[in-house]
Amino acid sequence: MENMVGYNPSFAEEVFQNVHSGDKIKMCMNCGVCAASCPLREHMDYPPRQIFSLIRAGKREMVLGSEAIMLCTSCYACVVKCPRSIPVIDIMHGLAHYALTKGYMPRVETARFGTEFWKQVYRLGRVDEKDLPRRVFFAGGFVEGIKKMLSFMDIGIKLMLHRRMKLLPERKIKGVKSLQKMLNKAEVLEKGGAVR
Amino acid sequence: MKYFLYWGCSLEGSGANFLVSLKPPCEALGMEFLEIEDWNCCGASVSYAGAGDLAIKVLNARNLAIAEAEGGYDVVAPCSSCYIQMIKVNHEIKENPKLLDEVNACLSEGGLKYDGTLNVRHIQDVLYNDIGVDKIKERVVKPLTGLKVAGYVGCQSVRPYGEYDSVNKPVVQDRLLEALGAEAVPFPSKIKCCGSGIFLPEMDYCMVLVKNILEDALNHGAELISTVCPMCAMNLELYQGRINDKYGTDFDVPIVYLTQLMAVAFGMDMKKDAALNYNVIPPERVIRAAIG
């Protein structure tokens, strides 16, 4: 009996209010097709189905601290297969975003990658494919940064030799200021807000 | 036929061979491409870490609003991540008109408005449904006879909406390959995910996904793998050496864009138009063997 947990609506309510598409977990019937279709299921501490049950059970720490919520490759296999048409990906992304705003750091590398990616989009309006990895690598400190840069040198050189790397730094789009105003407004209207 | 071509950030860098090889054969088929003035990034698959959902919708709606005001032609997004991000806005505002109001409240900060009238199309959709395999066959001067190709569809170019092809058993890429004279080999991993946008930060977990896809293609007799996605191309091609080191395999499979094969079959220049020299694993040998 010790594995049985009752419903605790307070965390579920928090998710419904703050996580994008969070209220859609109400439709989950726990069939597990999402987990079966997921390419990274074996690395997930809790597959999506279980995450949804944990939310209903009020297990806040387990959900927001879970690695699974950041292991989504966005392949949409689960979304296509879900018999209840739950936007599983939107919920996983929403949970990851919410967890980061609350100071959790599930899957450090992916969290850094995604956060730096967004910062660059906000700053430039575009993504600079050579600058982004550099920022991600050095986000964990100088020594770690150098090590990682060296370990990816071969890939960088291959891309450069085959004309698949823009040599000049990416410039800001002309309307970057106006884009930023739009994104700031979105942050105000949004559930949860942005990670800064 | 006029289209907006929203090529996105990757196709100016790691996916440059896609952009270079896309224009000449498509233009030869009568397509005319316009650029969306001052376009921005679509946010790709990982922006959710930093941004909320509405911000990502606004990012894409900005591009659509500009395209709508500039003539409203269909938007062709060759990168599957750009495609899914853009098409998602359109789908969601149809289901939820309140979202369009919110998006427009944000766009108005920059003097823009989106009415939701645009169609977002994948390059395979346009080639298959607007141009058609018959017209493509007519244009082929160097058929890729006997070239065994595994047509790798990946995920976001058909899922989740299945706008132009089946989400479970897609056939469009295979039909296009056959129109070029190639043999599309059976390939059960056709719609398996390669790790997509999180391959780099989650490489330890994602390498096996690519290994399985490569193995499956080779086991079904493929000499090369074609793709229509810059992330698939990058993940499948660039990390073969690492996969070999980790798993003791000996992969050396060329990964080409469908449009590169089109350019070759249309008799265009192997470098200037098909951009085969951009590939890290050279595809020339198997392709030359096919066209003779």
Side-chain angles (χ1 to χ4, degrees):
Chain A
M1 290 295 276
E2 66 188 43
N3 285 332
M4 284 184 67
V5 279
Y7 283 80
N8 170 356
S10 64
F11 179 51
E13 209 45 57
E14 183 183 342
V15 169
F16 300 163
Q17 295 303 320
N18 296 293
V19 172
H20 176 65
S21 292
D23 53 333
K24 304 271 172 62
I25 68 156
K26 292 175 193 168
M27 302 194 300
C28 177
M29 58 181 190
N30 258 275
C31 71
V33 163
C34 49
S37 62
C38 179
L40 292 182
R41 60 187 170 272
E42 60 194 77
H43 302 293
M44 290 190 171
D45 39 7
Y46 312 108
R49 171 189 77 82
Q50 231 171 322
I51 293 279
F52 302 161
S53 295
L54 290 168
I55 293 171
R56 287 162 160 166
K59 300 290 181 188
R60 192 174 190 277
E61 286 301 310
M62 283 166 88
V63 172
L64 298 182
S66 150
E67 297 200 352
I69 59 176
M70 281 221 97
L71 279 176
C72 171
T73 65
S74 313
C75 79
Y76 289 89
C78 54
V79 175
V80 166
K81 299 275 186 210
C82 176
R84 307 296 293 266
S85 303
I86 299 172
V88 184
I89 291 188
D90 293 355
I91 302 172
M92 297 297 267
H93 289 178
L95 284 169
H97 178 72
Y98 186 62
L100 288 164
T101 63
K102 295 290 167 198
Y104 293 85
M105 193 73 154
R107 298 306 298 172
V108 176
E109 300 277 316
T110 295
R112 279 180 189 153
F113 185 67
T115 319
E116 291 297 333
F117 192 100
W118 178 251
K119 279 186 193 163
Q120 208 169 59
V121 173
Y122 185 86
R123 195 164 46 86
L124 304 172
R126 296 217 180 146
V127 163
D128 187 327
E129 284 188 328
K130 52 188 182 311
D131 189 44
L132 177 68
R134 192 178 59 77
R135 285 173 190 268
V136 175
F137 295 159
F138 282 94
F142 184 73
V143 178
E144 194 189 321
I146 295 288
K147 271 192 200 158
K148 284 193 177 149
M149 280 293 268
L150 287 173
S151 75
F152 279 93
M153 196 90 111
D154 58 327
I155 303 282
I157 290 172
K158 277 180 191 164
L159 285 173
M160 201 157 64
L161 290 177
H162 291 87
R163 306 169 69 173
R164 281 159 69 179
M165 191 187 281
K166 252 186 167 178
L167 296 176
L168 293 171
E170 189 68 58
R171 293 208 311 233
K172 287 179 184 168
I173 63 165
K174 281 184 262 165
V176 74
K177 288 234 163 66
S178 118
L179 173 66
Q180 286 170 355
K181 276 190 204 160
M182 298 176 197
L183 297 174
N184 294 344
K185 176 79 174 185
E187 192 183 331
V188 174
L189 294 178
E190 191 111 55
K191 282 179 171 182
V195 181
R196 284 274 179 262
Chain B
M1 267 179 283
K2 280 188 183 174
Y3 300 90
F4 282 108
L5 184 67
Y6 174 61
W7 59 78
C9 308
S10 290
L11 268 66
E12 293 191 347
S14 59
N17 31 352
F18 200 2
L19 185 59
V20 172
S21 67
L22 186 145
K23 286 181 177 171
C26 289
E27 283 166 359
L29 291 166
M31 295 166 72
E32 188 186 330
F33 293 126
L34 305 168
E35 181 174 358
I36 299 175
E37 169 72 18
D38 202 37
W39 55 268
N40 55 262
C41 168
C42 70
S45 306
V46 292
S47 281
Y48 69 83
D53 189 74
L54 184 61
I56 298 171
K57 293 280 181 313
V58 168
L59 205 57
N60 286 281
R62 178 183 175 271
N63 290 327
L64 291 170
I66 295 171
E68 197 177 54
E70 283 177 357
Y73 307 107
D74 287 5
V75 178
V76 177
C79 167
S80 51
S81 215
C82 297
Y83 171 70
I84 185 72
Q85 290 297 348
M86 269 194 152
I87 204 169
K88 215 170 165 193
V89 184
N90 270 351
H91 270 270
E92 291 186 16
I93 57 177
K94 265 182 207 144
E95 283 167 20
N96 176 11
K98 203 176 131 262
L99 176 65
L100 183 60
D101 294 342
E102 281 181 358
V103 164
N104 276 325
C106 301
L107 291 179
S108 70
E109 294 287 310
L112 291 175
K113 183 171 183 286
Y114 181 49
D115 289 328
T117 61
L118 285 196
N119 295 314
V120 177
R121 315 273 307 272
H122 193 272
I123 186 73
Q124 295 188 126
D125 176 9
V126 173
L127 286 171
Y128 189 73
N129 291 309
D130 292 8
I131 306 291
V133 287
D134 292 337
K135 208 169 159 198
I136 293 172
K137 271 185 204 159
E138 276 171 28
R139 187 63 185 71
V140 170
V141 291
K142 286 187 178 167
L144 307 172
T145 314
L147 185 64
K148 292 184 165 62
V149 186
Y152 181 53
V153 176
C155 36
Q156 298 174 345
S157 54
V158 287
R159 290 203 291 268
Y161 300 113
E163 291 269 304
Y164 62 93
D165 204 352
S166 159
V167 291
N168 296 315
K169 287 195 162 57
V171 295
V172 167
Q173 191 174 151
D174 284 356
R175 295 295 98 84
L176 293 170
L177 287 166
E178 286 158 7
L180 303 176
E183 182 189 332
V185 302
F187 182 33
S189 292
K190 186 179 277 303
I191 55 166
K192 288 265 165 35
C193 175
C194 69
S196 183
I198 65 165
F199 187 96
L200 187 70
E202 301 294 353
M203 198 177 283
D204 284 345
Y205 292 172
C206 293
M207 281 210 285
V208 69
L209 304 178
V210 171
K211 173 185 163 272
N212 292 342
I213 292 164
L214 297 174
E215 237 160 32
D216 193 34
L218 293 178
N219 287 343
H220 286 84
E223 296 167 282
L224 51 76
I225 299 175
S226 70
T227 166
V228 284
C229 166
M231 283 171 299
C232 297
M234 174 126 164
N235 297 343
L236 258 57
E237 186 188 30
L238 279 167
Y239 299 100
Q240 287 187 26
R242 273 165 206 237
I243 291 167
N244 289 340
D245 290 345
K246 183 170 177 182
Y247 297 100
T249 46
D250 55 354
F251 294 122
D252 191 26
V253 201
I255 312 294
V256 294
Y257 290 103
L258 177 69
T259 48
Q260 292 186 288
L261 294 179
M262 272 176 71
V264 171
F266 288 5
M268 296 173 159
D269 192 279
M270 299 272 244
K271 283 187 179 171
K272 193 167 73 58
D273 302 312
L276 295 183
N277 52 325
Y278 286 51
N279 288 46
V280 171
I281 300 175
E284 283 92 338
R285 192 183 51 80
V286 279
I287 290 177
R288 278 187 203 280
I291 58 175

